[in-house]
Amino acid sequence: MAKVPSAVVAASGIVGGYGVARWTRKRQLGGAVLVVAGATAAQQWRERAGGKAAGALTAAYVAAFAGSHPLAKKVGAWPAVFGMAGAVALASWAVADRNG
């Protein structure tokens, strides 16, 4: 089975979590998507780059989720979500996926 890059998992969690929350009108369901993808990505980060890197990337993932809210007020919801997802994906790729 092919490995899905952690960058894809993390970005999908941010985009998917927002999309599910928006389309179902159930924030808790979107939050569940965000948490499951974040936990999956964190496990991959730990395996591929070690505990310290996993901690830093997990903090970036949470910060991207939190940061998308004030950014959305300036640029709109979807651009903020895609921008933050892209930032987390880039960091994840650079730290954990690039050499794998």
Side-chain angles (χ1 to χ4, degrees):
M1 184 171 172
K3 291 183 181 180
V4 177
S6 61
V8 172
V9 174
S12 297
I14 293 172
V15 173
Y18 175 71
V20 167
R22 182 172 176 128
W23 292 317
T24 64
R25 299 188 189 272
K26 296 185 183 193
R27 293 176 71 184
Q28 299 87 348
L29 193 55
V33 171
L34 184 78
V35 168
V36 168
T40 301
Q43 181 179 0
Q44 291 178 317
W45 294 329
R46 194 175 315 107
E47 291 170 357
R48 296 175 187 173
K52 287 184 181 181
L57 288 168
T58 300
Y61 183 80
V62 172
F65 166 72
S68 68
H69 290 81
L71 182 60
K73 293 179 183 185
K74 296 180 189 272
V75 300
W78 281 111
V81 168
F82 284 125
M84 291 300 193
V88 169
L90 181 61
S92 180
W93 174 81
V95 173
D97 296 333
R98 179 173 38 176
N99 296 325

